[in-house]
């Protein structure tokens, strides 16, 4: 009830009492998402999780380069003392943290250039980092909460059926050290101006819409 009431206040303050139809449609979608979030949040609270920080901005130095970001939510369990960092995802489909952070490394496929520092082993398999977001969030909060921090997504898909918290697994000290080794490798490349060779496929291309 609080989420729905607050949403209506926000919409009215920005768009008036009779918002345009597209805004009204988005409001309905947001209302459905928030109604599901309320259930998940209440369940987490019953399990002992309490919100410590929201929209937390950090800036921390790594090998002479400042890394900054904004963490959606930091929670601490009042029963166990455990700490977790959550990033909220409002995409149309559920995202599994592991699939968004690493991929199996297959050298013979040669589909993309992978620096040696981006490779790491888990259970006799070699992976490579594609994203360092969640490990760097944990790294940013270590001074305050210690090294034992779990990380994950709070998924808020459009349909709402798969709404919930998904942890990055596995995530232990070895994975964390592998992530930091990759981050330090990136920093070293940036400082020496090494940007070559390029990948064969660009995942985020600003010019894709005009160059086809």
């Amino acid at each position: 009830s609080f989420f729905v009431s607050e949403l209506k206040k926000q919409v009215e303050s920005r768009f008036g009492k009779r918002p345009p139809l597209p805004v009204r449609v988005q409001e309905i979608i947001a209302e459905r998402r928030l109604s599901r979030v309320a259930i998940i949040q209440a369940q987490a609270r019953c399990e002992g999780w309490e919100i410590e920080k929201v929209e937390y901005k950090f800036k921390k130095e790594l090998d002479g380069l400042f890394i900054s970001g904004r963490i959606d939510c930091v929670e601490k369990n009042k029963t166990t003392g455990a700490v977790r960092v959550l990033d909220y995802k409002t995409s149309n489909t559920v995202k599994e943290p592991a699939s968004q952070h690493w991929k199996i490394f297959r050298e013979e496929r040669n589909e993309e250039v992978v620096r040696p520092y981006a490779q790491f082993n888990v259970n006799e398999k070699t992976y490579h980092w594609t994203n360092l977001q969640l490990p760097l969030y944990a790294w940013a909060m270590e001074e305050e909460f210690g090294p034992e921090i779990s990380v994950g997504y709070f998924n808020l898909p459009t349909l709402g059926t798969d709404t919930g918290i998904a942890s990055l697994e596995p995530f232990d000290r070895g994975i964390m050290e592998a992530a930091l080794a990759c981050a330090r490798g990136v920093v070293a490349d940036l400082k020496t101006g090494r940007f070559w060779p390029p990948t064969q496929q660009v995942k985020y291309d600003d010019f894709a819409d005009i160059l086809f």
Side-chain angles (χ1 to χ4, degrees):
S1 297
F2 170 79
F3 282 159
V4 172
S5 175
E6 187 63 26
L7 174 63
K8 292 185 182 298
K9 290 179 183 178
Q10 293 287 340
V11 172
E12 184 173 330
S13 68
R14 298 187 184 196
F15 303 102
K17 293 184 177 181
R18 300 182 64 183
L21 180 59
V23 175
R24 177 60 183 148
V25 171
Q26 292 180 57
E27 180 184 3
I28 294 173
I29 294 174
E31 183 177 315
R32 291 177 179 176
R33 278 177 165 165
L34 289 171
S35 296
R36 183 60 182 162
V37 167
I39 297 174
I40 303 299
Q41 194 68 54
Q43 290 174 343
R45 184 65 179 83
C46 290
E47 294 169 0
W49 293 102
E50 296 181 343
I51 296 174
E52 291 280 318
K53 301 177 184 292
V54 293
E55 295 291 316
Y56 177 75
K57 295 181 179 180
F58 71 88
K59 185 177 182 180
K60 189 175 179 180
E61 185 177 355
L62 180 67
D63 293 350
L65 183 74
F66 281 103
I67 298 176
S68 60
R70 185 184 323 200
I71 299 173
D72 288 341
C73 183
V74 180
E75 295 184 338
K76 186 173 183 179
N77 194 295
K78 67 175 184 179
T79 303
T80 65
V83 176
R84 68 183 180 189
V85 173
L86 298 176
D87 188 59
Y88 284 68
K89 297 296 183 183
T90 56
S91 58
N92 293 330
T93 58
V94 169
K95 295 184 180 298
E96 291 295 331
S99 68
Q100 302 299 306
H101 281 76
W102 57 65
K103 293 168 58 177
I104 287 284
F105 177 70
R106 295 184 175 90
E107 188 174 6
E108 69 276 5
R109 291 173 62 181
N110 195 29
E111 290 184 351
E112 54 191 322
V113 177
V114 178
R115 298 278 195 268
Y117 57 68
Q119 302 171 31
F120 64 101
N121 296 319
V122 176
N123 298 327
E124 299 183 352
K125 292 183 179 180
T126 302
Y127 297 84
H128 67 92
W129 292 100
T130 59
N131 187 344
L132 295 173
Q133 180 190 24
L134 290 180
L136 288 179
Y137 281 1
W139 166 75
M141 303 306 299
E142 280 186 346
E143 291 183 7
E144 183 171 354
F145 294 106
E148 300 300 323
I149 300 175
S150 61
V151 293
Y153 290 160
F154 196 135
N155 282 304
L156 307 172
T158 303
L159 297 179
T161 54
D162 295 318
T163 299
I165 297 169
S167 299
L168 177 63
E169 295 178 352
F171 186 66
D172 53 22
R173 199 61 205 171
I175 300 293
M176 185 65 182
E177 292 298 332
L180 289 178
C182 181
R184 290 191 170 96
V186 173
V187 169
D189 278 354
L190 288 172
K191 292 171 71 173
T192 58
R194 179 181 178 183
F195 305 105
W196 200 265
T199 60
Q200 295 183 11
Q201 295 180 345
V202 181
K203 188 173 183 180
Y204 304 104
D205 187 356
D206 294 335
F207 304 103
D209 292 337
I210 59 174
L211 296 180
F212 307 105

